[in-house]
Amino acid sequence: MAILSTDKVKLNVKVQDKYEAIRMVGQMLVDAGHAPQEYIEKMIEREDSLSTYLGGGLAMPHGTNEAKSMIKSTGMAILTAPEGIDFGGDEPARLVIGLAAIRDDHMGILTNVAVLVSDDDEMERIVNATSEEELISIFEEGLSE
């Protein structure tokens, strides 16, 4: 099972609020078999306790620590929202990455993604990707460096 695949990418999404975005990435993780349906509510619970907005237009919603035992395999689900989604940060999130990670995969993925999108040019390439395949290619290039 791939950490990232085209069925876990949605481009140019328009949502009402951050909760709809979290449910969307959460459902992609559930549909791909990374976590059970209950994990989505744990993602919402985590967001309500502390925002998963990391800055620079990136939000990475994930479940609570207690929800880690629910996770079946490590996976990411990505949506891009060029118009932005208010996650309570200093600027809207244009990239939302839902994460389900087993063991210590969580910190490694967070770090690698943060480094990738901290490059303004890479962030623009990601948000403006025209296909799911292009977006995945950018991540694969960036995460393997």
Side-chain angles (χ1 to χ4, degrees), residues 65-87:
N65 281 339
E66 295 76 30
K68 284 188 115 182
S69 62
M70 295 177 169
I71 298 169
K72 299 173 184 168
S73 61
T74 298
M76 293 193 310
I78 299 176
L79 64 84
T80 64
E83 293 179 10
I85 303 163
D86 184 5
F87 266 76

Side-chain angles (χ1 to χ4, degrees), residues 111-124:
T111 301
N112 287 336
V113 169
V115 168
L116 173 64
V117 302
S118 67
D119 181 321
D120 290 343
D121 292 338
E122 292 294 337
M123 181 65 162
E124 287 306 311

